Amino acid sequence: MSSVVRNQGSCVAIRSLSPSSSINRCSHASASSDGATCGRPAWIGKRLTCVCFKRKGVYEGIYFNITPKQEERLNRLRHRMKVYFDGSRPDHQEALRALWSATYPGKELHGLISDQWKEMGWQGRDPSTDFRGAGFISLENLLFFAKTFSTSFQCLLKKQGGNRSTWEYPFAVAGVNITFMIMQMLDLDASVKPRTFIRSVFLQMLSENEWAFDLLYCVAFVVMDKQWLEKNATYMEFNEVLKSTRTQLERELLMDDVLRIEDMPSFTLLC
């Protein structure tokens, strides 16, 4: 069965365990960079790789055995990430209309190109131009957030919480940037073999819940807004807030008792 094993609060091993199995670890005097994949021992079999990290000057490693289920879901997620938004596709048009309906229930949309979209925080009349950074999955993330955690979604959209800046971040465009940040953090564009502990942890979560990426997106959005308020940030500081958001997410994902997205402390911010 799959299991997550943590050593000294930071080393993570995700692999198939038998009742008599033990943790395989490796040590290296040096490596090219933090989180780099170490040399592959000859005895490591198919889909099994060693991932190293540096802790207080010492490199330690894990062996990660990616299961068929994890590989299938990872491939499906990677496919979602590669889909560009295409305004000529009926399903993409419908998704955009669905986002409007979920965001403004009962309010008529005058067209897929309209000044109304600026209300949601798009940069212009045509939201399709803002999807170039992260693709169609960023629209799917926003729609998932709107439908799954509607109260939090509406609160962030309307900037209802805290002492807000006079120059606020544009809600929808911020959402696209959050999608892109998570894709970079999880290193999902790389080969199937995990190169970082964050990605290893996430793959285990993905095997438990196919919507792990979308749930993490929702957590990231509320964390970003919380940090925005704590820093009294303005629009020009958005990138700095996004970096601190990533740091907070990474910290929570590597906590000993976080085995699902729902276990992350910041998940409680959602409603």
Side-chain angles (χ1 to χ4, degrees):
M1 65 177 179
S2 294
S3 177
V4 177
V5 181
R6 301 177 187 262
N7 296 315
Q8 299 176 333
S10 58
C11 184
V12 183
I14 306 175
R15 57 199 186 88
S16 297
L17 296 178
S18 63
S20 60
S21 63
S22 59
I23 302 173
N24 292 310
R25 303 180 63 193
C26 63
S27 298
H28 304 275
S30 63
S32 59
S33 63
D34 291 0
T37 303
C38 70
R40 178 187 173 103
W43 54 266
I44 294 182
K46 185 179 181 182
R47 293 197 182 94
L48 192 63
T49 187
C50 179
V51 180
C52 298
F53 77 108
K54 188 176 183 180
R55 188 174 188 274
K56 293 183 179 179
V58 178
Y59 282 88
E60 295 181 332
I62 61 167
Y63 296 118
F64 180 92
N65 186 20
I66 187 168
T67 67
K69 186 182 205 179
Q70 289 169 339
E71 187 171 4
E72 176 188 357
R73 290 187 172 180
L74 175 59
N75 287 337
R76 194 178 305 161
L77 179 55
R78 292 175 71 194
H79 174 74
R80 288 176 62 195
M81 289 166 44
K82 293 177 181 178
V83 177
Y84 293 100
F85 182 86
D86 184 349
S88 66
R89 287 181 53 168
D91 56 333
H92 288 199
Q93 295 174 5
E94 186 58 35
L96 205 50
R97 292 190 184 94
L99 177 62
W100 178 269
S101 297
T103 305
Y104 303 109
K107 187 174 182 179
E108 181 183 359
L109 175 64
H110 298 154
L112 294 181
I113 298 179
S114 167
D115 284 331
Q116 289 176 290
W117 290 107
K118 296 179 184 179
E119 299 175 31
M120 197 185 298
W122 301 103
Q123 295 183 84
R125 303 177 70 247
D126 184 2
S128 67
T129 60
D130 290 327
F131 290 122
R132 294 170 184 165
F136 183 62
I137 191 173
S138 59
L139 171 55
E140 292 180 313
N141 288 158
L142 279 167
L143 186 54
F144 180 90
F145 189 15
K147 290 186 173 182
T148 309
F149 302 102
S150 59
T151 301
S152 293
F153 181 90
Q154 290 294 331
C155 183
L156 269 58
L157 170 72
K158 299 172 183 176
K159 306 293 194 301
Q160 292 176 334
N163 184 21
R164 313 302 308 198
S165 168
T166 54
W167 196 9
E168 280 285 323
Y169 63 85
F171 176 78
V173 173
V176 174
N177 278 273
I178 289 170
T179 296
F180 185 72
M181 178 270 289
I182 295 174
M183 289 193 295
Q184 288 187 314
M185 178 182 75
L186 298 178
D187 194 29
L188 296 177
D189 266 336
S191 61
V192 173
K193 297 174 184 177
R195 300 187 303 186
T196 66
F197 277 85
I198 293 293
R199 188 181 182 202
S200 300
V201 169
F202 177 75
L203 285 182
Q204 178 66 17
M205 293 176 172
L206 188 63
S207 69
E208 299 294 333
N209 189 336
E210 190 170 5
W211 299 104
F213 185 92
D214 303 82
L215 287 171
L216 182 59
Y217 170 87
C218 298
V219 173
F221 216 135
V222 292
V223 169
M224 185 279 294
D225 188 74
K226 184 173 183 289
Q227 302 237 356
W228 177 273
L229 292 173
E230 289 175 350
K231 295 176 183 293
N232 295 313
T234 64
Y235 181 76
M236 297 302 293
E237 298 169 292
F238 179 77
N239 286 337
E240 179 185 336
V241 173
L242 205 58
K243 288 179 182 178
S244 63
T245 298
R246 171 171 173 168
T247 299
Q248 179 65 27
L249 295 176
E250 291 174 335
R251 183 182 301 116
E252 293 190 20
L253 286 169
L254 291 179
M255 288 181 176
D256 289 344
D257 55 351
V258 173
L259 303 181
R260 307 172 304 154
I261 300 297
E262 294 90 331
D263 296 330
M264 296 175 68
S266 292
F267 186 83
T268 59
L269 297 173
L270 290 165
C271 56

